[in-house]
Amino acid sequence: MRDLDREETYLADRRGLALELRDLVGSGPVPKEAYPGPHAALGYGEGWLAARLSGLPDWTEEGTLFVLEGGYDLGEAAALALVAETERVRVVRVGFREGAAYLPPSPLAPYRYLRFLLLATGQEEALSEVDKALLEERKRLTPEVPLEANPAKFLAYTLLERLPLFYAPFFRPLEEAAQSLFARIGKSLSLTPPHSALEFFLTGLEARHEQGDPLAAVLLGEGEAVRLAKEILETRVDAVAEVPPPEGSRLAQAVALWYRLAWTAYYLALLYGVDPSDPEVLERLREAT
Amino acid sequence: MRDLDREETYLADRRGLALELRDLVGSGPVPKEAYPGPHAALGYGEGWLAARLSGLPDWTEEGTLFVLEGGYDLGEAAALALVAETERVRVVRVGFREGAAYLPPSPLAPYRYLRFLLLATGQEEALSEVDKALLEERKRLTPEVPLEANPAKFLAYTLLERLPLFYAPFFRPLEEAAQSLFARIGKSLSLTPPHSALEFFLTGLEARHEQGDPLAAVLLGEGEAVRLAKEILETRVDAVAEVPPPEGSRLAQAVALWYRLAWTAYYLALLYGVDPSDPEVLERLREAT
């Protein structure tokens, strides 16, 4: 098994994703002005999580609509931006398409979309809480922090050769965001439960012990639903990992957990011996859509 | 391998779920009056899909709010119902909790919540289109229709001993609904992609051939996104099943596909030799929440 505390393991990181992860806080484009409210945000692809985290509605009849074009939306984002622009609504496009405030594609772009959105809607304080939580997390997550003190390395070993199942009852969109991170960085398949998660855990995992990959449940956050899920899952999966949130606002907690999972996916890629970056494979998709 | 065209295979259906599936159209509680608009609907558990299918907003400041309490919501539904009730908003509760219009728990309840909602909001015509599509589907899906003419039996054989991956770009909530059906009826684990599904297919399945369960992609509906997904998935999964929608409104199409998947999950349970019903296991959860 590869050793995350040895330098040669990091040779697989050919494009230096560790540096992008380390220097994430404060990166990305900055809005040129404060945009008039009320605000709304529509998020695609890499911009989806930011729109969900912002809590903004996805449509407005006046003020500013932010269209976060971070994905393969088959032209839907551009079409909606056209429809939305009226005398009373200003449309601000962000993303890697022509004519938008440029935000290059990256599995770490969700943070940058969120940062842009918070700055553009005058929420500097919320952003500084998020950034503080990420910088605090970073102290324990970088490659030079050894396994015994590094929760992302530890979680990566737990998930190795297992199929992760993400459950985040306090903010369900985090599950899909985790699934995306593990695919794009970790090159790994993972599972998310449907809306009725507890029912799903009780019935869908009933016959699992006899077949397929061993499952590892990752419980994000805390509270009654996490406690119930743990009780149900303990006898049904191979491993249960609890990831309690750090201190801070609900927004800061969600982004900090996302950051922890990004580092975990990074270490998982290294344990599988694959490059944690993904530019070529997605380039073709960008051309096709 | 068990044979879906032989009577003894159906002995595993100890509670007769086939009858409930067959007689689904027109079943369930009926609203006692037409409720004043504007309408809104909040759906939990078995009521979630109906709320999504209805296209109604999830909150209103006047008119009627339908709270579909079909799940293990840890008291959230009841609390919201209390908050929502004002002089201008009438709250109508439906579900298996005390004080609600009674709709008993069942994996097939999503249809009944939708039916209640359509009748209560004066959309008899939309309901009759849905019912027509389901009755048309039923002709080909029941146990007496042999394998070669029965697409649900056929799909069940395709999914046997495989991990289904559902993708429904025309109505994404159908993916989670399928995952719930396969857990509760088929006692089977299945996968749904995150928001950025095409990216996920490209990166998360890259290393799949060497490990774990063989995947079977189930593409629901049609169009450009389905075509792209098929192109990407063909070389990455063990089998790709395309399920084009029947004729009808978008609503009728979505419900008809859901009905087809319910029958497929039923046949899959029989192929695994397990009871397609699930009352006992969920009884405990209902008591705990």
Side-chain angles (χ1 to χ4, degrees):
Chain A
M1 194 190 289
R2 291 181 182 84
D3 184 343
L4 292 173
D5 286 345
R6 290 177 69 112
E7 255 180 60
E8 70 246 36
T9 305
Y10 292 83
L11 292 174
D13 182 11
R14 284 191 288 275
R15 287 178 198 79
L17 190 70
L19 290 177
E20 196 188 333
L21 270 164
R22 184 196 309 260
D23 299 335
L24 187 61
V25 169
S27 69
V30 167
K32 297 209 175 65
E33 52 190 298
Y35 296 95
H39 301 117
L42 253 179
Y44 292 87
E46 295 165 357
W48 176 79
L49 182 65
R52 299 299 301 266
L53 283 167
S54 75
L56 293 173
D58 62 5
W59 197 254
T60 181
E61 298 292 334
E62 48 178 348
T64 310
L65 172 70
F66 297 94
V67 181
L68 313 178
E69 300 181 27
Y72 316 100
D73 51 58
L74 302 169
E76 191 184 318
L80 276 168
L82 271 177
V83 175
E85 179 101 42
T86 66
E87 267 181 31
R88 298 169 64 207
V89 178
R90 180 154 174 197
V91 170
V92 176
R93 295 171 55 212
V94 191
F96 51 76
R97 305 276 182 198
E98 220 181 294
Y102 187 63
L103 205 162
S106 159
L108 303 179
Y111 164 83
R112 298 184 184 118
Y113 282 102
L114 178 68
R115 179 166 176 266
F116 186 97
L117 212 49
L118 292 175
L119 291 174
T121 56
Q123 299 181 73
E124 285 80 6
E125 210 166 307
L127 175 61
S128 101
E129 265 205 80
V130 166
D131 284 352
K132 209 181 112 196
L134 295 196
L135 292 174
E136 203 53 47
E137 275 285 298
R138 187 175 72 174
K139 287 183 192 162
R140 307 193 294 157
L141 303 181
T142 50
E144 61 273 19
V145 181
L147 174 62
E148 62 271 19
N150 190 321
K153 285 185 181 175
F154 195 86
L155 186 54
Y157 278 111
T158 306
L159 300 181
L160 186 63
E161 307 291 349
R162 291 181 173 140
L163 185 60
L165 165 61
F166 296 107
Y167 182 46
F170 88 111
F171 184 64
R172 301 288 308 266
L174 193 55
E175 298 163 12
E176 287 185 47
Q179 200 181 21
S180 285
L181 283 173
F182 274 67
R184 289 193 56 185
I185 299 179
K187 311 295 180 290
S188 297
L189 197 63
S190 58
L191 260 170
T192 54
H195 179 79
S196 300
L198 297 176
E199 272 183 23
F200 175 76
F201 297 149
L202 266 177
T203 55
L205 303 176
E206 200 70 349
R208 283 301 295 171
H209 281 293
E210 301 112 72
Q211 59 176 100
D213 286 338
L215 283 167
V218 181
L219 306 179
L220 302 162
E222 53 197 357
E224 177 68 359
V226 163
R227 196 191 58 70
L228 272 167
K230 190 184 171 193
E231 202 181 303
I232 296 171
L233 288 166
E234 256 167 356
T235 55
R236 288 178 170 79
V237 301
D238 205 51
V240 175
E242 288 180 89
V243 189
E247 304 243 320
S249 65
R250 190 158 167 278
L251 177 67
Q253 289 184 325
V255 185
L257 288 175
W258 173 84
Y259 190 54
R260 170 101 59 106
L261 292 169
W263 277 105
T264 305
Y266 172 77
Y267 291 122
L268 193 60
L270 297 185
L271 289 177
Y272 286 126
V274 297
D275 189 342
S277 296
D278 63 3
E280 291 94 352
V281 61
L282 292 180
E283 198 59 49
R284 276 177 292 144
L285 184 60
R286 259 163 231 143
E287 282 160 19
T289 54
Chain B
M1 192 189 290
R2 291 181 180 85
D3 185 343
L4 291 173
D5 286 346
R6 290 177 68 111
E7 254 180 59
E8 70 247 36
T9 305
Y10 293 82
L11 292 175
D13 182 11
R14 283 192 289 275
R15 288 178 198 78
L17 189 70
L19 290 177
E20 196 187 334
L21 270 164
R22 183 196 309 260
D23 299 336
L24 186 61
V25 169
S27 69
V30 168
K32 297 210 174 65
E33 53 190 299
Y35 297 94
H39 302 116
L42 252 179
Y44 292 87
E46 295 165 357
W48 176 80
L49 182 66
R52 298 300 300 268
L53 283 167
S54 75
L56 293 174
D58 62 5
W59 196 256
T60 181
E61 299 291 335
E62 48 177 348
T64 309
L65 172 70
F66 297 94
V67 181
L68 313 179
E69 300 181 26
Y72 316 100
D73 51 57
L74 303 169
E76 191 183 319
L80 277 167
L82 270 177
V83 175
E85 179 101 42
T86 65
E87 267 180 32
R88 298 170 64 206
V89 179
R90 180 153 174 198
V91 171
V92 176
R93 295 171 55 213
V94 191
F96 52 76
R97 305 277 182 198
E98 220 182 296
Y102 187 65
L103 205 162
S106 159
L108 303 178
Y111 164 82
R112 298 184 185 120
Y113 282 102
L114 178 68
R115 180 166 176 266
F116 186 97
L117 211 48
L118 292 174
L119 290 173
T121 56
Q123 298 182 74
E124 285 79 7
E125 209 165 308
L127 175 62
S128 101
E129 265 205 79
V130 167
D131 284 351
K132 208 180 113 196
L134 295 197
L135 291 174
E136 202 53 47
E137 275 286 298
R138 188 174 73 174
K139 289 182 191 162
R140 308 193 294 156
L141 303 180
T142 50
E144 62 273 18
V145 180
L147 174 62
E148 61 272 19
N150 190 321
K153 285 185 182 177
F154 195 86
L155 185 55
Y157 278 111
T158 306
L159 300 181
L160 185 63
E161 307 292 349
R162 290 181 175 141
L163 184 60
L165 165 62
F166 296 107
Y167 182 46
F170 87 110
F171 184 64
R172 300 288 309 265
L174 193 56
E175 298 163 12
E176 287 185 47
Q179 202 182 20
S180 286
L181 283 173
F182 273 66
R184 291 193 56 184
I185 298 179
K187 311 297 181 290
S188 297
L189 197 63
S190 58
L191 261 171
T192 54
H195 179 78
S196 298
L198 296 175
E199 272 184 23
F200 175 77
F201 298 149
L202 266 177
T203 55
L205 303 176
E206 200 70 350
R208 281 302 294 173
H209 281 293
E210 300 112 71
Q211 59 174 102
D213 287 337
L215 284 167
V218 180
L219 306 179
L220 302 161
E222 53 198 357
E224 176 69 359
V226 162
R227 195 191 59 70
L228 272 168
K230 189 183 172 194
E231 201 181 305
I232 296 171
L233 288 167
E234 256 166 356
T235 56
R236 287 177 171 78
V237 301
D238 206 51
V240 175
E242 288 180 271
V243 188
E247 304 242 322
S249 65
R250 191 158 166 278
L251 177 67
Q253 290 184 324
V255 185
L257 288 175
W258 173 85
Y259 189 55
R260 170 101 61 106
L261 292 170
W263 276 105
T264 305
Y266 171 78
Y267 291 123
L268 194 60
L270 297 185
L271 288 177
Y272 285 126
V274 297
D275 188 343
S277 296
D278 63 4
E280 292 93 352
V281 61
L282 292 179
E283 198 59 50
R284 276 177 292 145
L285 184 60
R286 260 162 230 144
E287 280 160 20
T289 54

